[in-house]
Amino acid sequence: MIALTADDQATLLRWARAAIVAGKPVAGQGELTPGLRAPAAAFVTLMQAGELRGCIGHLRHDRPVWENVVRAAVAAAREDPRFPPVTPDEVPELTVSISVLEPPVDLPDVSEFNAQRHGIIVQLGIHHALLLPKVAQELGWDEEQVLAAVCHKAGLAADAWRDPAARLQVFEAIDFGESR
């Protein structure tokens, strides 16, 4: 698991918010610690009044975590196809949270999937989708519910994960966010 100190997490949250305000990726280069330079994928989730307002990730495990976070922050605010772009007036109302992802590994036996610990990726043909571990944790979903939901998100039948051609991968994540 990537090692991020409490200070690293606070820095990533500060940079994510600054990138949202600026409308482009920004970061203070002088503050880059080993944890912030470590390669890791990241998702940024934006909440407004307890409701999802945007969530986008960058799955590049070959880029520094700080870079993936600031890029994902801008994308979550401006490019999530489920929502119109965040306006400057909305920014103070947003709560930012970050998920830093370990690289995914193939799941050869679905019985090894733990919905409370693992995020999941499903791929079948051109269809693919990902659910973060915190989705199941927050909604209290079990393994079958998560598998059905990730298939639905990918535009597949709820039981498409059972198809022998389906590729399932799991990953773990570190989640942290602003407190409001």
Side-chain angles (χ1 to χ4, degrees):
M1 188 62 69
I2 187 170
L4 291 173
T5 67
D7 286 344
D8 289 340
Q9 292 177 17
T11 297
L12 288 172
L13 288 165
R14 190 173 68 250
W15 288 354
R17 184 167 284 281
I20 292 166
V21 170
K24 63 181 181 181
V26 294
Q29 296 291 328
E31 301 176 58
L32 288 175
T33 65
L36 296 175
R37 285 194 304 267
F43 271 71
V44 173
T45 302
L46 306 177
M47 300 294 286
Q48 184 179 39
E51 298 292 324
L52 181 65
R53 183 60 180 86
C55 182
I56 297 277
H58 283 277
L59 294 175
R60 297 286 307 265
H61 291 278
D62 60 340
R63 286 190 180 153
V65 66
W66 76 265
E67 186 177 332
N68 282 328
V69 165
V70 296
R71 287 175 184 260
V74 173
R78 297 181 177 264
E79 300 169 17
D80 188 325
R82 300 169 290 182
F83 304 98
V86 169
T87 65
D89 291 343
E90 291 179 282
V91 173
E93 302 169 8
L94 297 176
T95 302
V96 178
S97 64
I98 296 170
S99 298
V100 177
L101 285 57
E102 289 291 312
V105 296
D106 286 329
L107 182 65
D109 182 354
V110 75
S111 70
E112 295 176 15
F113 174 53
N114 179 332
Q116 297 302 306
R117 189 176 95 211
H118 296 129
I120 186 97
I121 300 169
V122 65
Q123 182 176 2
L124 182 58
I126 62 168
H127 300 275
H128 64 295
L130 174 151
L131 283 180
L132 296 169
K134 71 180 184 177
V135 173
Q137 294 163 2
E138 291 171 358
L139 298 175
W141 285 354
D142 64 20
E143 287 74 18
E144 292 250 352
Q145 290 171 301
V146 172
L147 290 165
V150 75
C151 288
H152 176 74
K153 184 176 179 183
L156 299 166
D159 65 348
W161 59 272
R162 295 179 189 274
D163 187 315
R167 181 179 185 198
L168 295 175
Q169 293 182 298
V170 293
F171 59 90
E172 293 186 38
I174 300 170
D175 296 306
F176 54 94
E178 297 174 329
S179 56
R180 295 213 177 226

